[in-house]
Amino acid sequence: MPIYQVIIIFSLFIGFSAILQVPNLQGAEADLALFKMAKMSFDPWFVGVIGASGAMAALIPSSLVLTATATILSKNVYKVWKPNTSDDQLRRLSRMLVPVIALVTLYFTFNGGESIFTLYLMAYSFMAQLFPALFFSLWKKILLPFKELLSEESLEF
């Protein structure tokens, strides 16, 4: 997880420098700052390659998230209501839920918040607030394999 945090810092620096280089961006237009900077710097064919790469980088993880969400809903919600559901029925239900969930997320994309950056900040602050609670709730379990190395007094709380 720490290496991921370093990568996030570099992406923030790149995004903020793009916002500084492309003037007069307001609201949701700030999400396109890096793409507009690429349009100013590169040939149109290479901007197309950048756009296609960005689209693929967004589609691949989102397909996994859609599939996982549909599977979670079918197994953890539907199966609780109907416990006699077979695995074949759950698989078909999961496949039918994928486009439904995609349409719901598409609706929230177009009618949701103004900026992706706002969602990014909310997710990052949620992770920053959740990590200490998760870490300290697992404190004894994390230190248990190293019990021989630590004295008994250091494990007392």
Side-chain angles (χ1 to χ4, degrees), residues 16-23 37 40:
F16 284 135
S17 64
I19 288 174
L20 292 175
Q21 290 295 320
V22 181
M37 197 167 87
M40 293 182 334

Side-chain angles (χ1 to χ4, degrees), residues 7-8 25 27 35 40 48 60 78 86 92 107 118 123 126 129 137:
I7 293 171
I8 287 176
L25 292 176
F35 190 67
M40 293 182 334
I60 292 170
Y78 187 77
S86 69
R92 280 185 278 154
Y107 171 78
T118 306
F126 178 72
Q129 291 174 13
S137 71

Side-chain angles (χ1 to χ4, degrees), residues 6-155:
V6 171
I7 293 171
I8 287 176
I9 288 172
F10 287 127
S11 68
L12 285 172
F13 285 149
I14 291 169
F16 284 135
S17 64
I19 288 174
L20 292 175
Q21 290 295 320
V22 181
N24 301 327
L25 292 176
Q26 302 294 327
E29 288 181 357
D31 293 334
L32 298 174
L34 190 61
F35 190 67
K36 288 184 179 187
M37 197 167 87
K39 282 174 52 177
M40 293 182 334
S41 303
F42 298 113
D43 291 333
W45 68 270
F46 194 70
V47 174
V49 170
I50 293 172
S53 301
M56 289 306 294
L59 285 176
I60 292 170
S62 63
S63 67
L64 295 174
V65 170
L66 281 173
T67 305
T69 304
T71 304
I72 287 171
L73 285 176
S74 64
K75 285 188 175 183
N76 294 344
V77 175
Y78 187 77
K79 186 138 181 153
V80 170
W81 285 339
K82 302 216 175 186
N84 296 331
T85 307
S86 69
D87 288 339
D88 188 47
Q89 290 172 327
L90 286 175
R91 189 179 69 240
R92 280 185 278 154
L93 178 65
S94 294
R95 288 181 179 171
M96 290 188 309
L97 281 175
V98 168
V100 172
I101 295 169
L103 288 173
V104 169
T105 56
L106 192 63
Y107 171 78
F108 283 121
T109 299
F110 290 125
N111 297 324
E114 284 186 18
S115 174
I116 294 173
F117 187 71
T118 306
L119 294 174
Y120 183 74
L121 281 178
M122 285 191 319
Y124 191 74
S125 63
F126 178 72
M127 287 189 311
Q129 291 174 13
L130 183 65
F131 177 75
L134 179 65
F135 180 76
F136 287 115
S137 71
L138 300 173
W139 182 257
K140 286 187 179 182
K141 292 177 185 176
I142 291 171
L143 294 178
L144 194 59
F146 305 105
K147 188 174 183 178
E148 312 73 61
L149 300 174
L150 301 169
S151 65
E152 284 293 322
E153 292 83 29
S154 64
L155 289 178

